[in-house]
């Protein structure tokens, strides 16, 4: 499943997409510890699979929460994207 | 087998009771501040309509933003999962589901089995949900029904610049002062909501057929604007606001079988 967490507002689209098929093959769940803002948690989804999800408290404020990882000039690779062995995480902005 | 699905939305609570796969009772109530209490009243109402006692219900599954508030529920399912199951049950040909409620919109791609393939939820922007049309209709001193209808009589499209509901209301007042017709203002508001919803739905992609569910699907102005924005027609089920509760009741059937 492709899970898009986030929002569209007047300034743009702010979504983190998780390809949860990748999570089914993942044992370490490194995204959880890699994120300095605790954006990710491992949940049991509606189909009883353990997958990564964006925690509820951050779903409405991703542009702000992720801003430190995304400086305007020379943005480094994102810690969450780097940590995921399945390339399951992507950002829309 | 008798099961129930309870959908605890931000504004209303809906209950569907299924007996041997058939809907026999329904209930709807404003969520209010005490969601748990309202859910209990709503469940009682649906049980009375079904002609059963609450204790006859074998399995209850709750869904919606307030799903954890329902103490009677044996288990929960997300709104996305419940919408997928409920929609494919009533419209087996649907592969994309758009659910627009009072405070939130969801775009879901579903399989023929009613499983979620891809989903996006607009978690934040009230300007992409039904409550925006409601507050704008109040600003124009019209009922929501009138507001939705007159949008269809608009003869031109006016882009709304405001980024959120608070600024949009003052923009509506400015448009009124500029003697813009109510018809054109109504269309501008519905176009603005539709453009937010469309942008979210495009994240999951459109696959035919496209089902439109949720209470906002009763608003013809919104349906027209979204149809233009996504360049597609929709299939809109009867009782579109109950689809999430129906999905939860169907999941309750499956889970009940799994427990045996
Ligand atoms: S590291 Fe990647 S694959 Fe593993 S749980 Fe996190 S998102 Fe899923
Ligand atoms: S960009 Fe940074 S803050 Fe945002 S999810 Fe990734 S690691 Fe966490």
């Amino acid at each position: 499943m492709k899970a898009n967490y986030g929002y569209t507002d007047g300034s743009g689209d702010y979504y983190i997409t998780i390809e949860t098929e990748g999570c089914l093959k993942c044992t370490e769940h490194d995204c959880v510890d890699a994120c300095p803002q605790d954006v990710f948690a491992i949940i049991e989804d509606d189909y009883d699979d353990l997958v990564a999800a964006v925690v509820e408290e951050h779903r409405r404020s991703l542009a702000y929460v992720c801003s430190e990882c995304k400086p305007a000039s020379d943005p480094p690779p994102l810690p969450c994207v780097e940590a995921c062995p399945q390339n399951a995480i992507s950002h829309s902005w | 087998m008798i099961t129930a699905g309870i959908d605890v939305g931000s504004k209303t609570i809906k209950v569907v009771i299924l007996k041997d796969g058939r809907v026999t009772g329904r209930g709807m109530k404003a969520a209010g501040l005490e969601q748990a209490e309202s859910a209990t009243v709503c469940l009682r109402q649906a049980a009375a309509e079904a002609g059963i006692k609450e204790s006859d219900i074998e399995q209850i599954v709750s869904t919606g933003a307030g799903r954890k508030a329902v103490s009677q529920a044996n288990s929960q399912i997300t709104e996305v999962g419940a919408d997928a199951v409920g929609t494919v049950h009533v419209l087996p040909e649907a592969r994309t589901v758009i659910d627009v409620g009072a405070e939130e919109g969801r775009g879901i791609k579903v399989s023929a089995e009613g499983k979620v393939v891809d989903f996006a939820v607009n978690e934040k922007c009230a300007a992409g949900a039904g409550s925006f049309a409601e507050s704008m209709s109040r600003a124009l001193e019209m009922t929501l029904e009138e507001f939705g209808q007159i949008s269809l009589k608009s003869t031109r499209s006016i882009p709304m610049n405001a980024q959120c509901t608070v600024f949009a209301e003052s923009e509506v007042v400015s448009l009124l002062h500029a003697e813009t017709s109510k018809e054109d203002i109504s269309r501008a508001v519905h176009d603005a909501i539709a453009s937010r919803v469309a942008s979210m739905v495009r994240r999951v992609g459109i696959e035919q057929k496209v089902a439109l569910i949720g209470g906002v699907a009763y608003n013809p102005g919104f349906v027209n604007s979204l149809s233009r924005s996504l360049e597609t027609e929709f299939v809109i089920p009867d009782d579109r606001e109950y689809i999430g509760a129906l999905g939860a009741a169907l999941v309750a059937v499956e889970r009940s079988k799994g427990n045996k």
Side-chain angles (χ1 to χ4, degrees):
Chain A
M1 186 198 311
K2 224 167 155 187
N4 294 278
Y5 296 99
Y7 53 94
T8 299
D9 68 14
S11 65
D13 281 4
Y14 303 98
Y15 281 94
I16 291 179
T17 304
I18 302 172
E19 292 267 10
T20 60
E21 297 300 318
C23 304
L24 305 183
K25 296 177 223 144
C26 178
T27 49
E28 301 298 322
H29 308 147
D30 285 336
C31 55
V32 177
D33 289 336
C35 173
Q37 303 283 356
D38 297 329
V39 164
F40 301 97
I42 303 301
I43 59 154
E44 194 176 272
D45 70 7
D46 290 337
Y47 310 106
D48 301 331
D49 292 322
L50 287 180
V51 300
V54 171
V55 297
E56 276 199 41
E57 64 165 303
H58 290 324
R59 289 181 195 169
R60 293 162 184 244
S61 53
L62 289 176
Y64 171 74
V65 171
C66 295
S67 59
E68 278 191 25
C69 289
K70 300 180 180 223
S73 60
D74 274 342
L78 302 177
C80 52
V81 173
E82 285 259 290
C84 175
Q86 303 289 335
N87 293 324
I89 301 174
S90 58
H91 289 228
S92 69
W93 77 108
Chain B
M1 180 193 299
I2 302 177
T3 65
I6 306 182
D7 179 2
V8 185
S10 54
K11 229 170 158 192
T12 54
I13 296 177
K14 282 83 63 182
V15 174
V16 165
I17 293 183
L18 285 181
K19 186 174 180 193
D20 301 329
R22 226 169 36 83
V23 176
T24 53
R26 291 183 320 181
M28 188 185 308
K29 193 182 182 316
L33 293 177
E34 295 297 332
Q35 285 178 325
E37 216 175 287
S38 303
T40 301
V41 173
C42 205
L43 182 62
R44 203 172 299 144
Q45 189 186 330
E49 190 180 300
I52 58 162
K53 295 193 293 290
E54 279 170 61
S55 55
D56 294 334
I57 305 171
E58 253 176 72
Q59 184 94 202
I60 300 177
V61 171
S62 61
T63 185
R67 61 186 176 273
K68 292 192 180 130
V70 183
S71 58
Q72 298 92 332
N74 301 91
S75 62
Q76 283 118 27
I77 184 168
T78 63
E79 302 91 305
V80 168
D83 281 355
V85 173
T87 304
V88 171
H89 182 77
V90 293
L91 301 169
E93 69 281 23
R95 290 296 168 271
T96 308
V97 182
I98 304 173
D99 177 4
V100 187
E103 303 286 346
E104 214 177 61
R106 285 177 275 281
I108 310 161
K109 204 177 254 180
V110 293
S111 70
E113 295 74 40
K115 222 177 152 186
V116 179
V117 177
D118 192 341
F119 75 86
V121 182
N122 194 352
E123 302 265 359
K124 181 179 181 180
C125 187
S131 57
F132 184 43
E134 252 184 82
S135 61
M136 294 302 108
S137 67
R138 272 198 301 273
L140 288 182
E141 298 176 342
M142 304 177 95
T143 64
L144 185 58
E145 288 71 29
E146 290 164 344
F147 188 64
Q149 281 295 342
I150 62 161
S151 169
L152 303 178
K153 296 190 184 133
S154 164
T155 49
R156 66 191 173 123
S157 131
I158 305 165
M160 282 195 75
N161 301 315
Q163 310 285 5
C164 79
T165 52
V166 178
F167 295 117
E169 195 153 335
S170 64
E171 194 171 339
V172 164
V173 173
S174 310
L175 287 170
L176 273 174
H177 288 161
E179 296 189 354
T180 309
S181 73
K182 287 188 176 182
E183 286 80 0
D184 291 341
I185 294 176
S186 172
R187 174 169 164 181
V189 168
H190 289 111
D191 282 353
I193 303 170
S195 109
R196 303 272 158 88
V197 173
S199 141
M200 172 195 69
V201 173
R202 283 193 201 100
R203 295 210 66 74
V204 302
I206 295 272
E207 196 179 317
Q208 298 296 341
K209 293 184 168 170
V210 184
L212 186 58
I213 64 170
V216 183
Y218 282 109
N219 178 333
F222 170 72
V223 175
N224 187 266
S225 291
L226 189 63
S227 177
R228 253 185 291 108
S229 185
L230 286 173
E231 296 176 346
T232 188
E233 297 293 318
F234 306 115
V235 276
I236 303 178
D238 295 337
D239 303 327
R240 54 214 77 168
E241 71 275 43
Y242 283 100
I243 299 295
L246 172 66
L250 289 162
V251 169
V253 174
E254 290 310 309
R255 289 184 181 169
S256 191
K257 284 181 192 160
N259 287 343
K260 283 185 176 160

